[in-house]
Amino acid sequence: MVVAQGLTYEYHIRDEQGKVEQTEQALKSINLSIEKGQFVAILGHNGSGKSTLAKHMNALLFPTGGTLWIKGMDTQDEDKLWDIRQSAGMVFQNPDNQIIATIVEEDVAFGPENLGISSPEIRKRVDDSLRAVQMTEYQGHAPHLLSGGQKQRVAIAGVLAMKPECIILDEPTAMLDPSGRKEVLDTVYQLNQKEKITTILITHYMEEVIRAHRVIVMEQGEIVMDGTPKEIFKQVEVLKQLGLDVPQVTELAYMLRKEGIPISDEILTIEEMVESLCQLKQK
Amino acid sequence: MLRNITIGQYYPVDSYIHNLDPRVKIMGTFVYIISLFLVPNFIGYGIVLLFLWMLIRISKVPFSYIVRGLKSIIMILIFTLGLNVFLTPGEHVLFQWKFIQVTGEGIYIALFMGVRLILLIMGSSLLTLTTSPIQLTDGIENLLSPFKKIGVPSHEIAMMMTIALRFIPILLEETDKIMKAQMARGADFESGGFIKRAKSLIPILIPLFISAFRRADELALAMEARCYRGGENRTRLKQLAMKKEDYKAIVIIGSLVIALVLLRMV
Amino acid sequence: MSAKTKIIELNKVSHLYSAGTPFEKEALKDINLSIYQGEFVGIIGHTGSGKSTLMQHFNGLLKPTSGTVLFKGKDIHHEEVNKKTIRQKIGLVFQYPEHQLFEMTIFEDVAFGPKNMGLSEEEIKQRVEESLKIVGIGPELYEKSPFELSGGQKRRVAIAGVVAMQPEVLILDEPTAGLDPRGRDEILAEIQNLHETLGITIILVSHSMEDIARFVDRLIVMHRGDVAFDGTPKEVFLHVKELEQIGLAVPQITYLMHQLKARGFNVPLDVLTIEEAVQVIRSQVGIQK
């Protein structure tokens, strides 16, 4: 679905006269392959290059070195630009700054309208997408009266209506409250399971990634860790050094192990923790 | 603070008027405004008022809601009235003090203009009250599209209007927030002379502009990501199509104009 | 906690938005509440629970529809009370405070508050330098534009802008929203420092139950314009069911304790942090060895 080979992105910092002062590498020769239907979470703190990577996948930025293919299409191929943006939809951080229309259903229709689809087909897609994110009852509402979580679900519906094969979400929950975050995440995971949409979720909330198939950790424009959530969160110390969190129970398990209690290092959820403690107690 | 503006805000109910084609409503309002200037006397206003009252009833928008919208123009109204009352020369002088005189003609014209202004605002606010912003922009885009050939960017105008409408509530809220934040830092917007007050706006305006630019930037990116590439080859969710009701509406508004023209000729 | 002197006191405070219109909304209902000197208070609540409205009552940005707000025993809406002084004594840091930066340089922006107080040049300079030091912004950045900074740095400059007024009470509305874990930890450490070394009374509004559990010594839960719970975090987080009903949660560790208890472990339910949990669990499984 997504393949990157030596993907590099450089940008120049210019001084006031417009001369190049410094050249920064936001992405350093990244190799990556994401399979169809996978749920991939990308972690990393601000400035680690994760957003830059996301923007490449939607052909909003173009590599300065290496190549990125989406569904076999080279993102630098200008003829394929619209096909790429249609197949890899993107949801951004601020829900307010990505809703264009003044009515929910009109906004969901925006993408398909740009694709030149017939009116009855747009209608069908709008209805389907709103149903998929459970926002049907709000179709006639004004976006500014919705909660943050609802707005993000509208934004997701807007992407779904373009029938993408892949959705990239760039910190979709950073500006939401806990219930909004839960709403959006449940929606995203459900879409991945039911509709088999390849999902790439960028976040710095660790608890959002434990259900993912695969976790990628980025630091200074490079991929430094890549594996299943269990494999990644095992490495509590490495993550802490990178300035990232681990789920509370994972940290607890880590500290218990340090105290000499022989508990599994693959605990991500409360349930897993309870199970392993029960086993320990029975011994 | 800034949230109490009701004039012209869409009032979402289901009515005959709400369901009319926006093009008919826009042109209808246009005709209505022109027809107001055709009115020769108060009888004419009576007819217009009756017509307007009927429309409001059909539109299911509460009368009080429309009247409240008039509040915001009350200063303009008083100004127009005053200007006409005091500055119209005439034979029937009712009151005189130095160079100021009030004449019967003045009062008549002031009332005449006042009623015209009120009917004008009420009629045109009915358009925005019964037409959602998006329909309104669709209507305008459609009505302007014949002028595309002579270089009128009808799609762009409509898109600009949509985005403006979308962001007005957001920016109002933001202004409110920034104002409060600066007040928490001891900023003072109420006291001092004109220059001091104008200066005190800087801490609001700069953050507001920066935020507007940032939003614009992100919005442009989001639009691109959703394959936006201008008006070419774009389809619409809701195609505008004239229905039987729309033709009826045209006939009705036409008869108002004819009635007023007849009245003028009599 | 220092001696229990009331610093802010709310008496039967109610607040109506758009009173007399169809959009009328009661944001606060008859609230009685006291904040004591030197406390570190956390406020949690669902969006729309009234916590933002409450905050703006503390420093007089909003006026109660009925009831009184007292600062050190004086009604802050009394004619003789200078609002500016109140807002200087009770500093308020809004959500995403970096959006209010406007000056050409970082130094100037932080100086905005002290300047409004009419302090001398010297005093302003001293306060700006001091507060920037507290938030960890070095002198080499003073003359830079605040807009060149990273997100976390911008936020710290904005907080310094309020700290420079030397408030006795500092209210922060979700100061860590949208930051990455590193940025979040830095800001929280600075807030804790303000509380501990300068003795400033802190009121922290947050969505993160874990952060709340770690720092505050008193927790107020808002729901539908009312105070639903008020007590130590340990007391409040015992009400798992009720908190969930109003759309809130308790720290993950507390959930773990509840589940362990259900499975026959003899653990206390008021455990909030990882450190405590380690102790508790060690005593439980340690005995078995």
Side-chain angles (χ1 to χ4, degrees):
Chain A
M1 188 71 220
V2 179
V3 179
Q5 217 169 64
L7 176 59
T8 302
Y9 182 73
E10 284 179 349
Y11 62 95
H12 306 300
I13 299 174
R14 289 172 199 275
D15 61 10
E16 275 150 28
Q17 278 86 44
K19 279 189 206 142
V20 178
E21 218 174 45
Q22 231 180 321
T23 302
E24 294 272 340
Q25 278 196 323
L27 295 175
K28 294 174 195 161
S29 190
I30 288 194
N31 296 312
L32 178 70
S33 162
I34 293 171
E35 282 151 45
K36 204 168 157 33
Q38 255 193 340
F39 193 114
V40 181
I42 302 182
L43 291 176
H45 62 79
N46 293 340
S48 61
K50 54 193 191 336
S51 279
T52 312
L53 181 61
K55 287 191 183 117
H56 276 85
M57 293 181 189
N58 194 255
L60 290 170
L61 286 178
F62 304 97
T64 51
T67 321
L68 178 67
W69 291 274
I70 304 289
K71 246 177 88 185
M73 296 178 281
D74 184 340
T75 60
Q76 271 164 311
D77 185 349
E78 274 183 40
D79 297 337
K80 296 279 166 59
L81 183 65
W82 306 109
D83 290 329
I84 291 170
R85 289 192 183 157
Q86 180 264 317
S87 352
M90 183 130 175
V91 176
F92 297 86
Q93 185 187 78
N94 189 331
D96 273 327
N97 298 352
Q98 55 184 316
I99 294 180
I100 294 118
T102 44
I103 291 179
V104 167
E105 62 175 13
E106 295 278 354
D107 187 72
V108 177
F110 182 77
E113 286 178 345
N114 291 332
L115 298 174
I117 290 159
S118 71
S119 297
E121 172 66 14
I122 297 180
R123 179 81 256 168
K124 190 178 166 296
R125 287 190 180 194
V126 168
D127 292 343
D128 289 348
S129 314
L130 281 172
R131 201 173 314 119
V133 300
Q134 288 158 18
M135 284 295 287
T136 306
E137 58 176 310
Y138 295 97
Q139 58 180 1
H141 280 55
H144 72 272
L145 299 175
L146 302 178
S147 75
Q150 290 171 331
K151 280 185 226 172
Q152 278 306 42
R153 275 148 68 202
V154 170
I156 293 171
V159 168
L160 281 183
M162 306 203 320
K163 299 228 162 156
E165 282 158 63
C166 173
I167 295 188
I168 302 138
L169 303 107
D170 189 359
E171 293 187 39
T173 61
M175 301 184 80
L176 307 181
D177 64 5
S179 54
R181 270 166 58 188
K182 189 169 177 301
E183 250 171 69
V184 170
L185 272 184
D186 287 349
T187 306
V188 172
Y189 275 100
Q190 214 175 39
L191 287 175
N192 175 250
Q193 273 156 16
K194 280 196 189 153
E195 322 267 331
K196 306 288 171 229
I197 296 174
T198 314
T199 308
I200 297 162
L201 172 71
I202 294 174
T203 182
H204 40 238
Y205 292 113
M206 309 306 132
E207 64 275 21
E208 293 182 357
V209 311
I210 51 181
R211 283 187 275 171
H213 297 126
R214 177 176 167 195
V215 180
I216 291 170
V217 181
M218 288 190 67
E219 170 75 7
Q220 290 184 344
E222 283 174 285
I223 292 178
V224 290
M225 293 164 99
D226 184 349
T228 64
K230 282 194 196 301
E231 287 163 6
I232 299 291
F233 287 120
K234 252 183 211 180
Q235 308 173 50
V236 176
E237 254 157 40
V238 184
L239 287 168
K240 290 209 153 182
Q241 251 169 23
L242 292 173
L244 297 171
D245 281 343
V246 292
Q248 269 201 318
V249 282
T250 313
E251 193 170 352
L252 177 61
Y254 166 74
M255 289 182 62
L256 287 172
R257 269 200 314 283
K258 259 171 93 180
E259 295 274 329
I261 295 169
I263 195 162
S264 157
D265 59 358
E266 294 201 336
I267 289 172
L268 297 179
T269 64
I270 296 175
E271 288 70 27
E272 286 167 354
M273 185 78 184
V274 172
E275 287 312 318
S276 4
L277 283 175
C278 283
Q279 279 169 17
L280 265 180
K281 204 181 178 193
Q282 278 155 14
K283 271 179 196 167
Chain B
M1 265 184 243
L2 297 161
R3 288 179 198 158
N4 302 329
I5 304 163
T6 57
I7 185 167
Q9 274 200 0
Y10 181 54
Y11 191 88
V13 283
D14 191 28
S15 83
Y16 176 80
I17 308 253
H18 281 76
N19 292 329
L20 284 179
D21 190 304
R23 289 171 295 184
V24 171
K25 284 190 271 190
I26 294 168
M27 287 313 282
T29 310
F30 203 57
V31 171
Y32 168 85
I33 291 171
I34 294 170
S35 71
L36 274 180
F37 289 90
L38 287 176
V39 171
N41 51 34
F42 281 102
I43 302 170
Y45 282 148
I47 298 173
V48 175
L49 190 65
L50 194 73
F51 175 75
L52 192 61
W53 181 76
M54 248 170 47
L55 287 185
I56 292 172
R57 283 301 296 273
I58 301 169
S59 76
K60 294 185 190 163
V61 178
F63 198 72
S64 62
Y65 199 83
I66 296 175
V67 172
R68 215 173 37 227
L70 287 175
K71 265 192 203 161
S72 49
I73 61 145
I74 211 144
M75 285 314 292
I76 304 172
L77 201 59
I78 291 172
F79 185 69
T80 328
L81 283 178
L83 223 57
N84 280 300
V85 167
F86 295 117
L87 296 179
T88 313
E91 283 156 20
H92 305 86
V93 180
L94 300 172
F95 173 81
Q96 181 135 22
W97 180 73
K98 290 188 181 164
F99 61 92
I100 293 169
Q101 56 166 266
V102 176
T103 62
E105 287 88 344
I107 291 181
Y108 183 82
I109 289 182
L111 283 177
F112 199 74
M113 300 300 263
V115 173
R116 180 182 285 172
L117 199 60
I118 290 173
L119 287 173
L120 189 100
I121 299 293
M122 281 170 72
S124 40
S125 65
L126 193 63
L127 170 70
T128 50
L129 283 164
T130 61
T131 317
S132 75
I134 200 110
Q135 278 185 312
L136 206 59
T137 43
D138 274 2
I140 291 171
E141 176 173 5
N142 206 288
L143 286 170
L144 284 179
S145 60
F147 302 107
K148 236 187 221 165
K149 289 199 188 85
I150 56 162
V152 177
S154 59
H155 168 74
E156 284 73 11
I157 291 175
M159 185 52 79
M160 265 157 53
M161 281 180 62
T162 309
I163 292 171
L165 285 165
R166 159 89 184 98
F167 279 89
I168 282 169
I170 294 176
L171 289 176
L172 282 179
E173 211 172 290
E174 185 129 343
T175 311
D176 198 55
K177 224 186 93 180
I178 295 172
M179 235 167 120
K180 279 182 173 161
Q182 305 298 24
M183 272 160 79
R185 289 209 278 165
D188 187 352
F189 305 118
E190 273 122 32
S191 61
F194 177 75
I195 292 181
K196 186 163 175 254
R197 278 198 198 194
K199 255 187 164 173
S200 74
L201 288 179
I202 292 173
I204 300 178
L205 292 179
I206 290 177
L208 196 62
F209 274 123
I210 290 171
S211 143
F213 278 115
R214 192 188 59 241
R215 285 179 191 281
D217 229 29
E218 284 179 26
L219 186 74
L221 205 62
M223 286 170 75
E224 259 188 70
R226 283 162 79 182
C227 297
Y228 181 68
R229 55 201 123 162
E232 291 303 310
N233 300 323
R234 225 171 161 262
T235 47
R236 304 309 309 261
L237 168 65
K238 288 171 188 152
Q239 298 286 359
L240 292 178
M242 298 280 277
K243 298 179 293 280
K244 212 164 49 185
E245 282 72 22
D246 295 310
Y247 293 108
K248 279 188 207 159
I250 294 176
V251 173
I252 293 169
I253 189 112
S255 45
L256 172 77
V257 176
I258 291 167
L260 291 176
V261 170
L262 283 177
L263 194 70
R264 204 178 169 86
M265 291 200 297
V266 173
Chain C
M1 211 187 301
S2 56
K4 281 228 165 190
T5 340
K6 279 181 191 170
I7 187 155
I8 301 176
E9 198 179 347
L10 268 63
N11 284 323
K12 293 194 171 170
V13 167
S14 295
H15 190 87
L16 287 174
Y17 278 118
S18 319
T21 72
F23 308 104
E24 182 175 297
K25 196 181 157 249
E26 194 174 21
L28 293 179
K29 294 175 193 163
D30 212 21
I31 297 219
N32 290 306
L33 192 67
S34 296
I35 305 290
Y36 298 91
Q37 195 139 26
E39 272 190 320
F40 196 139
V41 184
I43 299 185
I44 57 174
H46 202 258
T47 311
S49 62
K51 56 184 191 327
S52 297
T53 313
L54 181 68
M55 258 173 30
Q56 293 175 36
H57 275 83
F58 285 145
N59 78 339
L61 274 178
L62 288 175
K63 202 180 167 188
T65 315
S66 66
T68 52
V69 181
L70 308 181
F71 175 66
K72 291 187 166 171
K74 279 200 197 112
D75 185 345
I76 63 168
H77 291 286
H78 193 277
E79 283 170 18
E80 284 163 21
V81 175
N82 185 349
K83 283 269 173 55
K84 264 172 129 178
T85 322
I86 293 293
R87 284 177 199 151
Q88 175 250 309
K89 300 257 190 221
I90 306 170
L92 176 56
V93 178
F94 278 88
Q95 208 176 0
Y96 301 105
E98 60 273 25
H99 292 172
Q100 75 206 31
L101 299 174
F102 71 98
E103 279 286 7
M104 303 285 282
T105 69
I106 291 170
F107 187 93
E108 285 298 311
D109 204 283
V110 176
F112 180 67
K115 266 188 190 159
N116 286 328
M117 292 163 64
L119 301 172
S120 69
E121 286 286 323
E122 220 170 294
E123 173 85 23
I124 292 174
K125 186 166 181 282
Q126 192 206 331
R127 285 190 176 201
V128 172
E129 285 174 359
E130 213 173 78
S131 50
L132 280 171
K133 196 176 159 213
I134 291 172
V135 299
I137 300 282
E140 71 280 4
L141 294 173
Y142 286 0
E143 294 308 313
K144 277 211 160 189
S145 160
F147 304 107
E148 287 172 27
L149 300 175
S150 75
Q153 283 176 318
K154 269 188 210 168
R155 180 149 322 165
R156 294 195 319 230
V157 169
I159 293 175
V162 176
V163 172
M165 300 197 300
Q166 297 189 346
E168 292 178 39
V169 182
L170 186 61
I171 309 168
L172 301 112
D173 186 3
E174 282 188 64
T176 61
L179 294 181
D180 61 13
R182 192 180 287 167
R184 178 200 64 202
D185 290 341
E186 280 167 2
I187 297 251
L188 287 173
E190 277 148 22
I191 295 169
Q192 204 181 17
N193 181 28
L194 283 170
H195 178 243
E196 278 172 5
T197 53
L198 298 177
I200 300 178
T201 309
I202 306 272
I203 302 175
L204 175 71
V205 177
S206 176
H207 280 315
S208 163
M209 304 305 149
E210 283 77 18
D211 291 347
I212 288 274
R214 234 162 66 201
F215 295 110
V216 308
D217 37 46
R218 176 175 165 206
L219 180 56
I220 294 169
V221 182
M222 294 293 295
H223 180 55
R224 294 201 179 144
D226 223 337
V227 175
F229 295 101
D230 183 353
T232 64
K234 278 186 188 296
E235 287 162 8
V236 173
F237 283 134
L238 280 178
H239 302 272
V240 180
K241 282 266 150 54
E242 293 95 324
L243 286 172
E244 279 181 349
Q245 261 165 21
I246 60 180
L248 297 172
V250 301
Q252 228 193 349
I253 291 294
T254 314
Y255 278 115
L256 175 67
M257 291 301 142
H258 278 263
Q259 292 204 11
L260 285 177
K261 181 129 196 164
R263 295 288 288 269
F265 281 82
N266 179 24
V267 291
L269 292 179
D270 61 353
V271 175
L272 305 180
T273 63
I274 297 173
E275 291 74 23
E276 284 175 274
V278 171
Q279 300 302 323
V280 167
I281 292 172
R282 202 175 47 180
S283 74
Q284 282 291 305
V285 290
I287 300 165
Q288 312 292 320
K289 272 188 180 176

